[in-house]
Amino acid sequence: MGTVKRLVLDVLKPHQPSALEFCREIASLGPDYRACLIVEEVDENTQTLQLEVCGSALDLDVIEAAIVRMGASLHSVDQVEVNNEADQD
């Protein structure tokens, strides 16, 4: 079975929390999670983000739950990187 190492997500979020707070929250979800975001579009009430999350074993369900908890929504999973555990031997 493969392990998810990297996700690139299309997210729509309100202006609050800030991009910095949003990234910190996502990064805090796992012991080695790294979060990077690019604000692609801004309107009066929302921001469209490209969110990249990397780590040794990402859990999309946990990440999506945090996104929703912060008042945002996951529009799509645009990229996925998975490593086959058998390839690590």
Side-chain angles (χ1 to χ4, degrees):
M1 176 174 225
T3 303
V4 179
K5 302 291 186 178
R6 180 174 166 267
L7 294 166
V8 177
L9 309 173
D10 179 15
V11 176
L12 181 70
K13 78 167 204 61
H15 291 292
Q16 293 301 321
S18 71
L20 181 59
E21 293 167 314
F22 193 86
C23 259
R24 283 183 174 154
E25 179 66 23
I26 297 298
S28 74
L29 298 174
D32 67 343
Y33 281 24
R34 294 180 317 279
C36 174
L37 70 78
I38 297 169
V39 177
E40 294 186 328
E41 201 173 313
V42 177
D43 70 19
E44 189 175 316
N45 299 312
T46 61
Q47 298 174 338
T48 301
L49 311 175
Q50 177 184 319
L51 175 64
E52 180 178 352
V53 186
C54 300
S56 61
L58 300 179
D59 186 332
L60 179 58
D61 292 334
V62 169
I63 294 168
E64 185 173 7
I67 288 169
V68 170
R69 194 170 48 250
M70 290 186 279
S73 60
L74 175 62
H75 280 190
S76 63
V77 177
D78 294 344
Q79 293 182 25
V80 178
E81 180 182 330
V82 176
N83 287 1
N84 184 349
E85 294 303 319
D87 291 342
Q88 302 301 315
D89 297 335

